[in-house]
Amino acid sequence: MAQPLWPRLRELLSSRPVPVPKHPRAVVTGGAGGLGRALCLALARRGAAVLVADRDAAGAAETAAQVDSIGGRGHAAACDVSRPKEVEALLAAADEKIGGVDLLVNNAGVAVAGPVGVVPLADWEWILGINLWGVLYGCHYFLPRFRSQGSGHILNVASAAGLLSAPEMAPYNVTKAAVVSLSETLAAELHGTGIGVSVLCPTFFRTNIMASSRRAQINDDLEGVVENLMDRSRLQADDVARIALEGCDRGLLYVVPMSDGRWAWRLKRMLPERYHRIVPRLLASMRERTARQ
């Protein structure tokens, strides 16, 4: 006889997440700088063993040395996440260098800005290869290990852009929205398996992503708005990293660190049709304010 609906719902809602181990073995992509480095150092403060993966091998080695200096165990690996064989090789590297893996952080990411129809298709392919395929490769290759050991946690780094869809950022928005959707799907697939999934969706904080971004006829004033918001943010990379790991500990699916991101997400859900008329006006106002500064 089928179990009654409400007792089953209570059981599901009351189920407790499996916490990340106290001293986890972690693999972090895009760990050579920015948020990736901040996540590695936050893990080091927990006494973690961290495999720092990045295309920038020298930067990854520098992060690994900093992990060692503050009490963790750091190791570096060169990895281009857009190449599946290199992501697959990270699992063997984790076994060899840190004795396995408890936490996978799919952090590596880039930005492309500009209007749809103006952004070159080559730039779309570039960002999809890193921001989406890189995350998918990580999940694809590491999940069988997590399933076999009955534990593990995946932290996918998306962005509030994946929730809010601001104009003139379509390639970035699309990839981050896909990462949110992938994380939601995994959370449902993995419920009750001992494997956790979290998706990190910050708004603006100081990082080097704009310096490495590709821009197609994007106005300088929009870039000024973004840089102004990064500088003004109360939370910066170290704060975002700490909040992200706390979210993993709590078994949260959505980790949205900044209050502006949470409020904008609420507004979109409450007024979905009006939201997309409000955003262009808000962006125009922000451009005007930035121009006056």
Side-chain angles (χ1 to χ4, degrees):
M1 184 175 178
Q3 187 175 359
L5 176 60
W6 290 113
R8 177 58 178 155
L9 283 176
R10 283 197 297 270
E11 175 187 337
L12 291 173
L13 291 172
S14 63
S15 61
R16 295 184 177 181
V18 177
V20 176
K22 186 175 180 181
H23 304 295
R25 300 163 297 175
V27 175
V28 182
T29 67
L35 178 59
R37 176 168 288 177
L39 284 160
C40 292
L41 297 181
L43 285 161
R45 295 183 189 101
R46 297 175 169 219
V50 185
L51 180 61
V52 184
D54 204 290
R55 287 182 63 185
D56 176 3
E62 183 180 340
T63 298
Q66 292 184 24
V67 167
D68 285 336
S69 71
I70 61 173
R73 290 192 295 116
H75 298 270
C79 179
D80 179 345
V81 298
S82 69
R83 299 178 181 272
K85 291 300 183 184
E86 294 190 21
V87 179
E88 183 180 19
L90 285 180
L91 185 56
D95 287 338
E96 177 187 351
K97 296 182 178 182
I98 59 175
V101 60
D102 305 299
L103 173 66
L104 169 66
V105 182
N106 287 311
N107 166 73
V110 294
V112 171
V116 176
V118 175
V119 174
L121 291 179
D123 288 354
W124 277 93
E125 292 171 358
W126 177 67
I127 194 171
L128 284 164
I130 297 169
N131 287 15
L132 175 55
W133 280 104
V135 174
L136 182 57
Y137 293 145
C139 295
H140 178 79
Y141 288 118
F142 280 74
L143 267 175
R145 169 63 60 83
F146 287 166
R147 286 191 174 104
S148 68
Q149 65 193 30
S151 65
H153 199 100
I154 296 173
L155 172 60
N156 290 329
V157 177
S159 167
L163 303 172
L164 303 176
S165 305
E168 300 183 42
M169 294 176 58
Y172 190 69
N173 296 343
V174 167
T175 58
K176 295 304 186 178
V179 170
V180 172
S181 180
L182 174 62
S183 303
E184 292 170 338
T185 304
L186 286 175
E189 290 183 358
L190 297 171
H191 179 77
T193 64
I195 305 166
V197 180
S198 301
V199 60
L200 177 62
C201 298
T203 53
F204 298 97
F205 59 98
R206 283 189 296 275
T207 181
N208 57 9
I209 194 168
M210 289 298 290
S212 61
S213 68
R214 296 184 181 182
R215 284 156 274 189
Q217 295 184 14
I218 186 171
N219 294 327
D220 290 340
D221 57 352
L222 179 57
E223 187 174 347
V225 168
V226 172
E227 291 177 350
N228 188 34
L229 290 169
M230 286 180 171
D231 288 338
R232 289 172 51 193
S233 176
R234 289 177 55 251
L235 299 178
Q236 294 298 331
D238 289 344
D239 305 298
V240 174
R242 172 181 52 79
I243 292 168
L245 295 179
E246 289 172 355
C248 295
D249 290 334
R250 295 169 58 194
L252 296 181
L253 171 56
Y254 305 100
V255 183
V256 186
M258 284 80 163
S259 59
D260 59 350
R262 294 192 296 272
W263 279 108
W265 191 28
R266 290 188 190 108
L267 177 64
K268 181 182 177 183
R269 286 177 288 168
M270 288 189 297
L271 302 170
E273 294 291 338
R274 293 184 183 181
Y275 169 83
H276 293 288
R277 296 195 294 269
I278 294 170
V279 168
R281 298 175 188 172
L282 179 61
L283 180 58
S285 174
M286 293 169 69
R287 279 174 152 155
E288 290 175 6
R289 287 201 304 270
T290 301
R292 291 196 297 266
Q293 292 177 354

